[in-house]
Amino acid sequence: MDPYKVLGVSPHATDEEVKAAYRDLARKYHPDNYQNNPLADLASEKMTEINQAYDQIMEMRRNGKHAGGSGSYRQSSAGSFADVRAMINTGRVAEAEEILRGTPQNRRDAEWYFLMGTIYYTRGWLDEAYRHFTTAVQMNPQNPEYAAALNRMAWQRGGGMNRPAGYPAAGGCTACDACSGLICADCCCECMGGDLIRCC
């Protein structure tokens, strides 16, 4: 299927127009909007189609195979994962997502999945965040930062009744050593007896 038709834009659309169309469709069809809904499966399929179309368009444009576009995406896609972390830390989530989505499939490593999961978490798309954190941990099970993020989400999904594995009762938090300030404040906080304990 023509990826431009999937997003409902012209091949001559600018990069910004393509991104805007993608974001509108992603908000409309995101699975979190269809929980306990008989249309959930269809929405999930549509979301997959939208993501694939967007990735395909951006890949074509990076390779110069497009009729329009501002060229701004080519420049931003050169950003490193360190840039993505900095953007997330300063609230520039849309720009961070733009860089991540521009990463070729064969370069999407554990760090990519962790950062994309962080973006989903920031937006409140918890199911997607959990899936991405899970993939990051599966790809690099030795990384304490990824494990801390996944444990925190597992704790939240379980109602927050039990302390997730790897969370100390008090004091130091080993996972925070690698946080670099990204989601440390969230991942490394817990409520015990009504008292907020911050370990980083």
Side-chain angles (χ1 to χ4, degrees), residues 11 28 32 42 44 58 60 74 80 86 88-89 101 104 127 129 131 140 152 158 162 164 171:
K28 180 178 180 180
D32 285 353
L42 290 175
S44 180
M58 289 306 167
M60 290 189 300
R74 178 185 298 273
S80 68
I88 294 173
N89 280 331
R101 291 225 175 262
D127 287 344
R131 280 193 285 271
N140 186 357
R152 176 67 179 182
N162 298 310

Side-chain angles (χ1 to χ4, degrees), residues 144-168:
E145 184 180 22
Y146 305 163
L150 180 60
N151 286 338
R152 176 67 179 182
M153 290 228 58
W155 181 55
Q156 289 178 329
R157 288 161 67 94
M161 297 303 295
N162 298 310
R163 184 183 303 112
Y167 278 75

Side-chain angles (χ1 to χ4, degrees), residues 8-26:
V9 296
S10 163
H12 296 277
T14 65
D15 288 353
E16 290 303 320
E17 289 170 337
V18 171
K19 293 171 205 169
Y22 166 77
R23 290 171 188 152
D24 288 344
L25 289 171

